[in-house]
């Protein structure tokens, strides 16, 4: 298990906006599917592009950046180069995401402005991360993985701004090819490799796991790095022959990631199946199903599978792994800041006391019902099933926001 330290933890008031804004964007993203007609839907549809950016930039990236503000110094065991940078990053990311969403929905001329502001926020984030890593004297595999993932974020953002300019009509480029490079660099290169690295820190810490092999995860990161590099080069230089090898390697990498999580789960000392563990079950179950459906797509070329796979990755894998960790990370950070100075002086709450038990169960079961129904709706092109699932997701997202505020304001 990776050794961690709280000596360099930033104040919670720095991190709280990232979680609150992320939960609001997640709630907003659950309303958009209600306006979608599956019979005329394509992955390049402007409503799909808007939904994707609201979910990934507003929810996934916002939460990851907030978590990284806490976890980078904890994992690297050095202080931030400048923790004040994080006070700038979230407002820029917020404004950029809003402008890009409006650009996709209503007025494409806003896309370059939104993209540029997002670009600036991510450059500030990357500069802070790399300048902090520069202070590290001993590099382990987690730190190396974070370096790789942030390099892919840099490349993905650069291609993203070119896409925004192309979509707005300012320049001419092949959107389909560049979109492939952009999606793989950001989603597989940054988000997936970052989740792999953080899983090697957080899952053993929360499950009290010991004496498990890290080889599958290390191999998964190496293979994913090769896979993303191949697809990125294919997208930028139009080398279609590299695509399939990249797709196959990425599925192998994700399979190894699931196997590593199984090893960590198998060696855990904490046997309780709480809301966190249940969320991980759904998250990695969605990832496994997405891999299976990807193989099925390359055999059958059944078009609805493309959107179904993307939905499972975003609303199954990403949404559940993040919501599960919110129930672990936020109570811990609030307890650490508010109550740890009072230990030994007065009675302080346990972490479990800070979790809204019934409301968190409502959030989990409504979201799970939403995932199952909406996935079936996409798979069989049923608008009724898809929108029924989206409705359940809305209720789950409302509970997630309510529970987050409850934990942050716990006294």
């Amino acid at each position: 298990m990776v050794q961690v330290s709280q000596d360099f933890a930033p104040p919670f008031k720095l991190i709280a906006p990232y979680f609150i804004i992320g939960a609001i964007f997640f709630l907003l993203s659950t309303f958009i599917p209600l306006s979608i007609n599956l019979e005329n839907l394509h992955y390049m549809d402007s409503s799909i592009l808007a939904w994707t950016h609201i979910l990934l930039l507003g929810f996934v990236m916002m939460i990851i950046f907030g978590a990284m503000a806490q976890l980078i110094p904890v994992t690297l065991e050095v202080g931030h180069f400048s923790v004040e940078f994080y006070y700038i990053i979230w407002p820029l990311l917020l404004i950029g995401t809003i402008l890009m969403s409006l650009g996709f929905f209503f007025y494409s001329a806003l896309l370059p402005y939104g993209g540029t502001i997002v670009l600036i926020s991510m450059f500030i984030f990357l500069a802070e991360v790399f300048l902090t890593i520069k202070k590290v004297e001993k590099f382990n595999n987690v730190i190396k993985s974070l370096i790789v993932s942030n390099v892919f974020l840099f490349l993905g953002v650069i291609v993203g701004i070119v896409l925004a300019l192309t979509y707005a009509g300012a320049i001419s480029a092949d959107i389909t090819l560049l979109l492939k490079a952009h999606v793989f660099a950001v989603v597989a290169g940054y988000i997936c490799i970052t989740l792999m690295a953080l899983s090697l820190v957080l899952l053993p810490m929360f499950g009290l796991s010991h004496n498990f092999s890290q080889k599958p995860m290390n191999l998964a990161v190496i293979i994913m790095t090769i896979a993303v590099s191949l697809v990125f080069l294919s997208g930028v230089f139009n080398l279609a022959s590299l695509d399939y090898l990249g797709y196959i390697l990425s599925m192998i990498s994700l399979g190894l990631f699931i196997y590593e999580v199984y090893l960590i789960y198998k060696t855990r000392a904490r046997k309780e199946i709480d809301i966190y563990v249940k969320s991980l079950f759904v998250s990695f179950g969605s990832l496994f199903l997405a891999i299976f459906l990807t193989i099925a797509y390359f055999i059958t070329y059944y078009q609805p599978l493309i959107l179904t796979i993307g939905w499972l990755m975003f609303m199954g894998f990403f949404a559940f792994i993040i919501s599960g960790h919110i129930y672990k990370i936020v109570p811990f950070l609030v307890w650490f800041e508010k109550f740890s100075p009072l230990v030994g002086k007065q009675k302080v709450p346990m972490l479990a006391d800070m979790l809204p038990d019934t409301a968190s169960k409502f959030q989990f079961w409504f979201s799970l019902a939403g995932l199952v129904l909406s996935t079936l709706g996409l798979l069989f092109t049923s608008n009724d099933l898809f929108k029924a699932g989206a409705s359940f997701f809305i209720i789950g997202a409302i509970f997630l926001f309510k529970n987050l505020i409850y934990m942050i304001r716990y006294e």
Side-chain angles (χ1 to χ4, degrees), residues 22-176:
I24 292 173
F25 271 118
F26 181 63
L27 178 58
L28 289 174
S29 76
T30 58
F31 281 94
I32 297 173
L34 293 178
S35 64
I36 288 176
N37 185 347
L38 295 182
E39 293 167 0
N40 303 319
L41 195 60
H42 187 270
Y43 68 92
M44 288 293 291
D45 190 283
S46 60
S47 60
I48 288 292
L49 295 174
W51 174 80
T52 303
H53 284 81
I54 289 173
L55 185 78
L56 289 186
L57 287 177
F59 173 57
V60 176
M61 300 293 254
M62 191 71 77
I63 297 283
I64 287 179
F65 283 4
M68 295 300 275
Q70 174 72 24
L71 292 172
I72 282 179
V74 168
T75 305
L76 274 54
E77 298 192 329
V78 296
H80 278 288
F81 171 78
S82 176
V83 74
E84 286 75 17
F85 280 7
Y86 283 87
Y87 290 110
I88 307 171
I89 293 169
W90 72 259
L92 291 174
L93 186 56
L94 170 65
I95 295 169
T97 304
I98 291 172
L99 288 178
M100 291 199 74
S101 305
L102 293 175
F104 281 120
F105 271 128
F106 305 113
Y107 191 52
S108 61
L110 291 175
L111 287 172
Y113 300 103
T116 301
I117 295 173
V118 169
L119 180 75
I120 293 170
S121 73
M122 292 192 174
F123 275 178
I124 294 172
F125 171 77
L126 287 167
E128 206 290 322
V129 169
F130 283 120
L131 289 170
T132 301
I133 289 176
K134 191 178 177 183
K135 297 162 67 177
V136 176
E137 296 181 355
K138 186 177 180 181
F139 287 76
N140 57 32
N141 287 328
V142 172
I143 299 173
K144 292 174 184 173
S145 300
L146 291 177
I147 293 172
V148 171
S149 70
N150 282 281
V151 169
F152 280 130
L153 177 62
F154 174 78
L155 295 174
V157 170
I158 294 293
V159 175
I161 197 69
V162 175
L163 275 170
L165 291 169
T166 306
Y167 202 89
I171 61 174
S172 177
D174 190 325
I175 288 181
T176 304

